[in-house]
Amino acid sequence: MNTKRKKGLAILIIGVSLLTLTGCHGSKALPEFAVPESFDTSKTYEISFWAKNDTNKNQTDVYKKAISDFEKLYPNITVNMKLYTDYGRIFNDVITNIATGTTPNVCITYPDHIATYMTGKNTVIPLDDLFVNKKYGLGGSELLYDGPTQAEIVPQFLSECVLEDSHYALPYMRSTECCYINKDYVEKLGYTLPDVLTWDFIWEVSEAATAKNADGTYVLNGQNVMIPFIYKSTDNMMIQYLKQKGAGYSTAAGDIELFNADTEAFLQEIAGHVKTGAFSTFKISSYPANFLNAGQCVFAVDSTAGATWMGAQAPLADISEDAFVDFETAVRMVPQIDPANPQMISQGPSVCVFNKANPQEVLASWLFAQYLLTDGVQIGYAKTEGYLPVTTKAQTSHAYQDYLKRSGEDNKNYYPVKIEASTLLMEHTGETFVTPVFNGSASLRNAAGQLIENVANSIRRGETVDDAYMEKLYTDVTALYRLDQKDIGTNGKQELGPLPRPAVFFLTALFVTWGFLLLFALRDFVKKRKKD
């Protein structure tokens, strides 16, 4: 390597080293956001919007129309959308970008995830002052669109966005879980489908559905495959059962109560039904809808937002037409312990706004985030799947009520199972609940589902699930999700604070030394260039 290249490489190494050191020990926190007196329309703003899409073109079209309509109202704001296939990827990218100061402006995410985003100081904007701002707040006088007031957002949904006594998000869409049922199979087995399912009823019918013919096929469907009861989200399965039971899961302060006697009893019950073939999970067997639609399942629990995949006439089904089995699809709440006091989880994405150095850019982001709650966006998105609009303004509008009344007109736009799932949540909103949100609550949620998955897999491998097994299971899952560590939601990363004084002196000396080396290298490089 010639002398010129060596010196050039030396300069590059020194420069990179300096940049690396200056990036150590965390990035500088942004100042707290203060709402500007007015929105400066003489300047242009470019904001990034991260959202999730499940290969549903209709949802993408709703986003695109919302952005187009918003930009017509605010021509000085450009919205750049980035779509993700799942919320986990959004979460990972946001965490990565917090460290580099390149978070999006507006993000559709979950409160559990926002709690982790908030470990970065002044990263996510608290929205309470914006809510009540007379000009630009909810229903504000200076808004260029007809947005909802705070009173027109469903209180249960808005309360889910409270973290550390402040609102850090707006609800965007809401769903719950429900049970999609092959009613024909239930009646063929000699049972009458109740208005409210119980765990005992589902287990009893599921066990009856495991009966086989002499040739090994199942009596119920005459096929080689039958999984009577499949649950998509085992974390919700555990959480809802514990809530119905009145058992511990976690406290608002972040105390973990998941590992208790009721949890163990439920896992033992699940183990028994896995052993007979009456129960399986999505992670083990695949999508419940695929088995339900092919006549290979009796009870399939999935989100109301997934209703367009469920049932004999499902418009978004993933199986071939010749695999379909015609049957009457019934929709019920998830199984309950006490039918007179039903409890079901409320879930669905929310919208948060990230802090930036320019308050005007943040205000532009807030204007767009609010726009996502207008009737056109809310109703348009809700029609794509079994989501429910988060505002009473949209729910009671003529457009949405007309949509509900047209159930069954066609399967593409008015699929009855989808509309029934949305109606179920709307009628039972008061019976929904949410789990406490704190830094690490996302890890705890994953752990709840992992308990069921591990037990189910162990039974399938022929292992014995006894007291010793449960003790080891609790220990393994605790370690896997770091539930015994502080700040479990940050993967061990904590705010380090200022550098110690000796470290400051040492780094300063390094900077000065390398600065001189860089100057000498640059001087020699310039002399060489002139000589050449």
Side-chain angles (χ1 to χ4, degrees), residues 240-307:
Q240 288 177 118
Y241 177 85
L242 294 176
K243 177 67 173 181
Q244 296 167 13
K245 188 73 174 176
Y249 171 68
S250 72
T251 67
D255 299 318
I256 295 170
E257 301 176 336
L258 171 63
F259 306 107
N260 57 64
D262 289 304
T263 298
E264 182 172 343
F266 189 45
L267 290 173
Q268 289 287 6
E269 185 173 29
I270 290 170
H273 296 299
V274 172
K275 192 171 185 177
T276 62
F279 175 75
S280 189
T281 73
F282 157 68
K283 289 184 177 179
I284 291 173
S285 298
S286 190
Y287 289 98
N290 293 347
F291 292 93
L292 179 73
N293 299 347
Q296 299 170 342
C297 175
V298 183
F299 304 103
V301 175
D302 205 335
S303 170
T304 54

Side-chain angles (χ1 to χ4, degrees), residues 503-515:
V504 173
F505 288 141
F506 174 71
L507 288 177
T508 301
L510 278 179
F511 284 143
V512 172
T513 302
W514 286 1

